Amino acid sequence: MLWVWIFLAIALVGLAMLVGYAVWLAHLTADVLSEVGVLADRAGQLGDLLGQIGEDARLSGSSPLDRGQVG
């Protein structure tokens, strides 16, 4: 009868580890999704900056590459 209690204890420890792993994985997923949101925000900012460069070049009639300011 002792072996039943041993297996029950092993099962409970395994269940506790599984729950702990699930909580850790949920936190990790939330962190990754947060970083993806930051990356999307930065991509939007980059798009805005590139749009401003394009507007400046269109208004001046040339690009920064033509004037030798880049590179």
Side-chain angles (χ1 to χ4, degrees):
M1 186 68 180
L2 179 62
W3 63 272
V4 173
W5 293 110
I6 291 173
F7 279 122
L8 184 62
I10 291 171
L12 288 176
V13 169
L15 181 64
M17 289 181 63
L18 186 64
V19 168
Y21 180 71
V23 169
W24 173 79
L25 192 60
H27 284 244
L28 185 66
T29 302
D31 290 342
V32 169
L33 290 177
S34 173
E35 291 298 323
V36 168
V38 170
L39 182 62
D41 185 44
R42 298 289 183 188
Q45 291 175 0
L46 178 62
D48 291 341
L49 289 173
L50 290 175
Q52 290 175 4
I53 291 172
E55 288 176 10
D56 290 343
R58 185 175 45 85
L59 291 175
S60 67
S62 64
S63 75
L65 292 174
D66 295 337
R67 294 188 301 259
Q69 294 178 353
V70 177

